[in-house]
């Protein structure tokens, strides 16, 4: 079925419908920044995958991804050869529309020089020329390499398995499903010996939606390189922070009446003679138990064992009032 046939026979209002679809596109590309990350990986991976087919592989470039519809994209590429790929999970298909000079570009790249094309191989003349078995095999190898590059590009965010289905001349607006279905399209260019190979990657909404959560994040933006200088400054600043450290000899439960009767010169008797369990706190948090001693006319603490924080909280709930020694 041709695009023209579909317009005249199946839907007389297709042109009007096309405009309405483009004006009310539902595929929010801006909410999938990870898709740009994937496409940049794809255009970097493609020349590597094509190295066995292209004599002197070089770089490539890819345009910003755009929201479109299958009808509009396939109509724009009508008559071009496209490589169709299938994915089992999610169950969907996608395509890459190939340059109309793809035969000439591949042959020129294999021989490592520009091959002069005759009149029958000029752009726009493919309709009256059938490909040889060798040409078809070369284009299929080219298409398979692009599929492998796309699969590798998707792997960090959405590991899937793409299988090459077939080469197809684009004329059927239903090649990837309903013609009004949303899709993401990106034109890309690969430098080849015979010239720049211009192609179009078309990703239907049915293929993208299962990975919308993964594509909502751009790894390049969300995982910046660690700033070691800032980390060291932060660590130094934390280590220089001054906090109060208190040594507590004993905790005694008292009533509010007893506390209200405190007077200057009054004496508080300690209930325990054990000076090997002095509590060391930092900002009210128990840190260590210590042993109290004396040397050179000054009291000193020998740090013993750490205080388990769970037991520390339980002890605090008893309501005991601490009798503290000198702050260290």
């Amino acid at each position: 079925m041709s695009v023209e046939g579909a317009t005249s026979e199946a839907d007389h209002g297709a042109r009007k419908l096309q405009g309405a679809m483009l004006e009310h596109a539902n595929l929010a590309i801006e909410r999938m920044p990870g898709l740009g990350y994937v496409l940049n990986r794809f255009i970097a991976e493609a020349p590597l995958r094509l190295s066995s087919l292209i004599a002197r592989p070089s770089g490539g470039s890819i345009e910003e991804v755009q929201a479109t519809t299958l009808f509009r994209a396939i109509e724009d590429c009508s008559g071009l050869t496209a490589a169709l790929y299938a994915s089992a999970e999610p169950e969907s298909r996608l395509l890459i529309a190939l340059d109309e000079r793809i035969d000439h570009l591949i042959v020129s790249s294999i021989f490592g020089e520009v091959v002069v094309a005759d009149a029958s191989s000029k752009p726009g003349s493919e309709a009256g020329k059938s490909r040889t078995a060798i040409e078809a095999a070369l284009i299929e190898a080219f298409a398979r390499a692009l599929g492998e590059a796309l699969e590798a590009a998707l792997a960090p965010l959405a590991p899937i398995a793409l299988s090459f289905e077939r080469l197809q001349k684009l004329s059927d607006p239903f090649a990837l499903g309903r013609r009004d279905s949303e899709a993401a399209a990106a034109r890309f260019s690969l430098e080849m010996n015979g010239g720049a190979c211009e192609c179009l990657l078309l990703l239907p909404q049915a293929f993208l939606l299962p990975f919308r959560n993964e594509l909502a994040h751009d790894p390049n933006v969300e995982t910046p390189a660690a700033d070691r200088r800032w980390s060291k400054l932060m660590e130094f600043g934390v280590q220089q922070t001054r906090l109060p450290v208190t040594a507590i000899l004993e905790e005694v439960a008292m009533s509010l009446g007893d506390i209200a009767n405190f007077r200057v010169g009054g004496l508080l008797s300690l209930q325990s003679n054990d000076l090997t369990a002095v509590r060391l706190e930092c900002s009210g948090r128990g840190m260590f138990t210590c042993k109290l001693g004396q040397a050179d006319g000054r009291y000193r603490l020998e740090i013993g064992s750490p205080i388990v924080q769970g037991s520390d909280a339980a002890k605090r709930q008893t309501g005991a009032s601490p009798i503290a020694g000198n702050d260290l």
Side-chain angles (χ1 to χ4, degrees), residues 128-327:
K129 174 193 173 186
S130 59
R131 291 192 176 97
T132 66
I134 294 178
E135 288 174 334
L138 290 175
I139 296 176
E140 180 176 329
F142 185 89
R144 287 182 182 275
L146 290 182
E148 293 171 359
L150 183 58
E151 185 177 313
L154 285 162
L157 295 183
I160 61 171
L162 289 178
S163 59
F164 172 79
E165 274 196 344
R166 65 183 182 276
L167 295 172
Q168 176 178 323
K169 189 172 182 179
L170 286 179
S171 59
D172 183 2
F174 300 93
L176 292 180
R178 293 178 48 185
R179 53 192 257 161
D180 60 341
S181 296
E182 301 290 333
R187 298 184 183 277
F188 64 93
S189 175
L190 295 170
E191 294 300 325
M192 300 172 65
N193 193 61
C197 179
E198 306 288 345
C199 303
L200 176 77
L201 174 63
L202 186 60
L203 304 172
Q205 185 181 40
F207 176 80
L208 294 173
L209 285 186
F211 308 116
R212 58 185 178 275
N213 291 334
E214 290 82 355
L215 295 175
H217 308 284
D218 185 347
N220 286 333
V221 174
E222 298 191 355
T223 55
D227 188 338
R228 294 187 176 182
R229 180 175 177 275
W230 181 89
S231 299
K232 288 184 176 296
L233 288 174
M234 177 63 73
E235 181 181 359
F236 177 78
V238 170
Q239 292 177 347
Q240 297 302 309
T241 301
R242 300 183 67 84
L243 296 173
V245 178
T246 304
I248 300 176
L249 299 178
E250 186 175 344
E251 290 185 342
V252 179
M254 294 184 178
S255 67
L256 289 177
D258 293 335
I259 296 175
N261 291 326
F262 283 174
R263 297 290 183 271
V264 176
L267 298 177
L268 297 176
S269 300
L270 298 179
Q271 303 300 316
S272 174
N273 295 324
D274 185 9
L275 300 182
T276 63
V278 177
R279 178 187 179 84
L280 190 66
E281 290 189 352
C282 178
S283 295
R285 186 183 182 90
M287 303 298 293
F288 295 93
T289 56
C290 305
K291 178 180 179 180
L292 180 64
Q294 188 175 10
D296 300 328
R298 299 175 64 89
Y299 289 109
R300 299 191 179 191
L301 291 176
E302 179 182 337
I303 295 177
S305 58
I307 295 175
V308 179
Q309 297 304 320
S311 61
D312 178 53
K315 190 172 183 179
R316 282 298 185 187
Q317 292 176 357
T318 62
S321 301
I323 299 177
N326 295 330
D327 285 1

